[in-house]
Amino acid sequence: MFYIYCPHCGEHREEEEFHAKGQAHIARPADPDSCSDKEWGEYLYFRKNPRGLHHEMWVHAAGCRKFFNVTRDTVSYEIKEVYKIGERPSVVAAGN
Amino acid sequence: MSEMIAPEKVAANKPEAVQEVARMNQLAGPAQRAESPLHHADLGTIAQKGPKNGGVTLQEHKLLGHLVIRGSQDNQAFLAGAREALGFDLPTAPLSSVQQGDRSVRWISPDEWLLIVPGEEAFDVEEQLRAAMGGHFAIVNVSGGQTVLELSGPEARSVLKKSTPYDVHDRNFPVGKVVTSVFAKTQAVIRRTGEQSWELVIRRSFADYAWLWLQDASAEYGLVVKA
């Protein structure tokens, strides 16, 4: 089991209390009416699946019910950083 | 086509509409009988006829007024209004709670608090909060949706250890701390109210499950039910 740090509760909690919510930092096209089908399709359906650092959204479902971002290594499962929505990650993969 | 399904943006033009919310006193009158979610368990009879000594004591505090208060900590009119209506500040430190007489507030998340007051005061307190608070906020009376259980006694902590993955050691869980966590296969708001006493706020639909779970988990220590 993991202990995951919740930046809202300010402490580590059992993994059981959290849910993973997929890739973070997905920007919605600013004007959906005038974007191309390709742009909209990529926004809706296409996700990264990196080997290595991945920025993900998690939710503290059984706790404060707030979302936050996690930078996780998909090879080792190690959580490198936890940061709030709206903040920039300080740990990023080279070339990103 | 998209113009037709776009929602009307009225709220931004009419700020006064924000305060027009449905409010009603949810207290059951003489025509309706109020029943706690554990009515069927008949805790009163168990308290009379059941064991009087054991390591764990369970008491339901039923039919209290539960109010969920939501608002931003950046909104001073919201925080000041809460102080004016309640007589004390909403606890802004994570995982903290305030108890003042028969009123208590639990920190649930950075913009959410659970206020519990005597059942008959719930509507008055809600009205006072609405009158005193300003800006963007929400108050919802959820009294019918949950109930409060108090676990106490020398083995109360042992029962919690079996029930939640959260660390309930003194070092991590001092008196006054409140956490929302996994409880058995459901969730509970767990607050430490004393050296040997703990308060659980549980959902109505899981109340029977929690009651059956607590009976099973405290069987080895001896469960005393208090009316």
Side-chain angles (χ1 to χ4, degrees), chain B residues 20-62:
Chain B
E20 289 170 16
V21 291
R23 312 205 285 268
M24 62 174 281
N25 193 345
Q26 297 185 15
L27 199 65
Q32 303 96 8
R33 187 172 50 144
E35 285 184 356
S36 106
L38 289 175
H39 178 77
H40 65 285
D42 198 6
L43 299 180
T45 305
I46 299 173
Q48 267 181 9
K49 299 184 177 169
K52 298 283 182 279
N53 295 301
V56 186
T57 302
L58 176 74
Q59 184 179 16
E60 186 195 5
H61 298 289
K62 61 184 178 184

Side-chain angles (χ1 to χ4, degrees), chain A residues 52-70:
Chain A
L53 287 188
H54 191 213
H55 302 288
E56 302 171 327
M57 259 194 319
W58 284 68
V59 61
H60 194 182
C64 63
R65 305 194 291 267
K66 291 282 178 203
F67 284 79
F68 57 93
N69 294 320
V70 165

Side-chain angles (χ1 to χ4, degrees), chain A residues 73-87:
Chain A
D73 189 321
T74 58
V75 178
S76 65
Y77 286 9
E78 185 190 347
I79 291 175
K80 302 285 189 186
E81 189 186 13
V82 170
Y83 54 104
K84 289 182 184 172
I85 300 283
E87 293 177 352

Side-chain angles (χ1 to χ4, degrees), chain B residues 38-106:
Chain B
L38 289 175
H39 178 77
H40 65 285
D42 198 6
L43 299 180
T45 305
I46 299 173
Q48 267 181 9
K49 299 184 177 169
K52 298 283 182 279
N53 295 301
V56 186
T57 302
L58 176 74
Q59 184 179 16
E60 186 195 5
H61 298 289
K62 61 184 178 184
L63 305 179
L64 296 175
H66 299 230
L67 297 171
V68 168
I69 303 174
R70 301 205 64 167
S72 168
Q73 292 188 26
D74 298 331
N75 178 359
Q76 286 307 315
F78 164 73
L79 291 178
R83 186 186 314 124
E84 186 190 324
L86 298 174
F88 52 85
D89 281 310
L90 291 177
T92 49
L95 312 177
S96 62
S97 67
V98 177
Q99 173 92 43
Q100 287 256 323
D102 49 15
R103 293 180 178 184
S104 50
V105 182
R106 293 139 201 80

Side-chain angles (χ1 to χ4, degrees), chain B:
Chain B
M1 190 65 195
S2 61
E3 288 81 8
M4 291 172 66
I5 55 169
E8 273 188 72
K9 288 173 182 165
V10 286
N13 306 332
K14 289 170 65 182
E16 71 276 13
V18 175
Q19 296 300 326
E20 289 170 16
V21 291
R23 312 205 285 268
M24 62 174 281
N25 193 345
Q26 297 185 15
L27 199 65
Q32 303 96 8
R33 187 172 50 144
E35 285 184 356
S36 106
L38 289 175
H39 178 77
H40 65 285
D42 198 6
L43 299 180
T45 305
I46 299 173
Q48 267 181 9
K49 299 184 177 169
K52 298 283 182 279
N53 295 301
V56 186
T57 302
L58 176 74
Q59 184 179 16
E60 186 195 5
H61 298 289
K62 61 184 178 184
L63 305 179
L64 296 175
H66 299 230
L67 297 171
V68 168
I69 303 174
R70 301 205 64 167
S72 168
Q73 292 188 26
D74 298 331
N75 178 359
Q76 286 307 315
F78 164 73
L79 291 178
R83 186 186 314 124
E84 186 190 324
L86 298 174
F88 52 85
D89 281 310
L90 291 177
T92 49
L95 312 177
S96 62
S97 67
V98 177
Q99 173 92 43
Q100 287 256 323
D102 49 15
R103 293 180 178 184
S104 50
V105 182
R106 293 139 201 80
W107 183 97
I108 301 292
S109 92
D111 58 8
E112 180 175 350
W113 292 265
L114 174 63
L115 168 67
I116 297 189
V117 299
E120 63 276 13
E121 287 179 23
F123 188 57
D124 291 340
V125 172
E126 181 184 343
E127 291 292 285
Q128 286 160 12
L129 283 167
R130 285 191 188 283
M133 284 175 176
H136 183 63
F137 66 89
I139 303 171
V140 181
N141 187 331
V142 295
S143 307
Q146 46 199 30
T147 191
V148 178
L149 297 178
E150 186 187 333
L151 271 186
S152 55
E155 298 292 352
R157 193 209 307 265
S158 308
V159 172
L160 283 177
K161 281 185 192 166
K162 293 191 201 177
S163 311
T164 173
Y166 194 74
D167 181 4
V168 292
H169 192 278
D170 280 340
R171 170 181 67 214
N172 189 55
F173 210 145
V175 174
K177 188 170 183 177
V178 57
V179 299
T180 311
S181 186
V182 173
F183 184 84
K185 290 191 180 180
T186 172
Q187 293 169 23
V189 181
I190 307 168
R191 181 168 68 115
R192 189 165 187 189
T193 50
E195 280 307 311
Q196 290 191 348
S197 62
W198 311 74
E199 173 205 80
L200 308 173
V201 181
I202 53 169
R203 297 289 178 126
R204 178 173 205 101
S205 49
F206 284 98
D208 181 56
Y209 169 75
W211 159 237
L212 295 175
W213 172 276
L214 285 169
Q215 285 178 87
D216 189 48
S218 28
E220 64 176 298
Y221 312 112
L223 176 65
V224 182
V225 174
K226 210 165 125 188

